[in-house]
Amino acid sequence: MRSTVNLILMGPPGAGKGTQATRLCAELKVPKISTGEILRENVRDSTKLGHAAQGHMDAGQLVPDHLIVEMAMERLDRPDTHSGFVLDGFPRTTIQAQSLADRLGEQGRAVSGALLIEVSDATIVERVAGRRVCAQCGHSYHVDYDPPRNPNRCDDDDALLIQRDDDKAEVIRRRLTVYHEQTSPLISYYGERNLLHRVDGTLSPSQVYRQIETRLAALPS
Ligand code: AMP
């Protein structure tokens, strides 16, 4: 597999972006940049950004572009991203995608590819209802498909597993609507730039990962 990539993982909430991004980053030895995780940290730490973001997140809506773009750019300016990165959950709007392309372009960098993990809405609703995350480290489980060894406890640090507020059934439906309205235009955005690579997200995590490896091997170096 290539050792340097500037990669975007796209797909609806619950498609498995976080799981795949974690594995990919460990393999490629590049940082994973998850805007959702950075936002949740800010909410936990009660920062100004956390306060500004929380209402939007709880409602299943996107956090305004200017806040997200500033936050993501600050992260991408750090030197550890210069040998590659995997973006999980960013960009989510055309404005964000354009800002990303502009900033990377100014720095002589570019997006290598956007991997779209495709899963139907019905499957997402079923999956997300069973998702539990570690309140401490963020490790994600599924009550049926990927249960922890001890009920409700994280395998890694034994902390309590919780259901994210925005994973509740009614909020997930809203997040899917937001995805179709605001994020799916990025499919054509990256498609037109020959950067889009589709992956079948209904398969097992290992099978999805194998498809990702195949797509990465085919990227121009
Ligand atoms: P995630 O963990 O990626 O599903 O993100 C959780 C929530 O954080 C989303 O439902 C949004 O409210 C917010 N969020 C994360 N990334 C973005 C983004 N790129 N643009 C706008 N809002 C975002």
Side-chain angles (χ1 to χ4, degrees):
M1 197 188 278
R2 295 156 54 102
S3 59
T4 302
V5 282
N6 298 333
L7 211 60
I8 296 170
L9 281 189
M10 290 172 55
K17 299 186 295 292
T19 305
Q20 297 298 332
T22 300
R23 190 161 169 189
L24 203 49
C25 288
E27 183 78 26
L28 299 174
K29 298 185 177 55
V30 297
K32 172 176 105 160
I33 302 177
S34 157
T35 43
E37 274 174 19
I38 301 174
L39 288 169
R40 282 188 288 281
E41 269 165 34
N42 275 273
V43 170
R44 252 194 321 269
D45 298 346
S46 293
T47 66
K48 210 170 138 200
L49 172 63
H51 284 296
Q54 186 166 20
H56 301 282
M57 295 170 75
D58 288 347
Q61 303 287 355
L62 294 187
V63 173
D65 282 332
H66 69 277
L67 294 175
I68 292 291
V69 166
E70 192 185 323
M71 182 186 96
M73 296 312 159
E74 185 273 322
R75 180 65 189 86
L76 282 165
D77 280 348
R78 291 195 219 156
D80 66 335
T81 66
H82 288 181
S83 52
F85 54 81
V86 175
L87 288 171
D88 161 17
F90 177 86
R92 259 175 157 103
T93 64
T94 311
I95 290 178
Q96 293 178 15
Q98 199 53 61
S99 306
L100 174 66
D102 292 347
R103 175 63 73 95
L104 293 178
E106 284 162 20
Q107 300 172 338
R109 300 192 282 174
V111 169
S112 325
L115 292 164
L116 173 65
I117 306 183
E118 298 185 289
V119 183
S120 73
D121 285 9
T123 306
I124 294 292
V125 171
E126 188 200 44
R127 268 192 196 176
V128 172
R131 178 155 73 177
R132 298 291 179 275
V133 293
C134 173
Q136 198 82 39
C137 73
H139 188 141
S140 181
Y141 300 85
H142 189 282
V143 288
D144 300 319
Y145 309 130
D146 181 21
R149 282 193 295 271
N150 298 314
N152 272 325
R153 292 279 166 188
C154 179
D155 291 353
D156 298 336
D157 55 21
D158 205 39
L160 199 63
L161 301 185
I162 53 164
Q163 183 175 39
R164 277 167 47 180
D165 283 342
D166 60 353
D167 277 353
K168 308 253 158 79
E170 158 207 328
V171 182
I172 190 64
R173 286 189 195 284
R174 212 165 319 134
R175 290 171 70 202
L176 282 168
T177 307
V178 167
Y179 174 77
H180 291 301
E181 286 174 3
Q182 301 187 52
T183 306
S184 63
L186 294 186
I187 299 172
S188 12
Y189 178 94
Y190 287 114
E192 284 158 13
R193 288 160 180 78
N194 287 326
L195 290 170
L196 187 77
H197 305 275
R198 291 172 189 269
V199 170
D200 178 356
T202 61
L203 304 174
S204 72
S206 300
Q207 287 170 314
V208 173
Y209 189 72
R210 274 200 289 281
Q211 290 180 71
I212 291 178
E213 284 182 314
T214 309
R215 305 289 182 277
L216 289 190
L219 289 181
S221 50

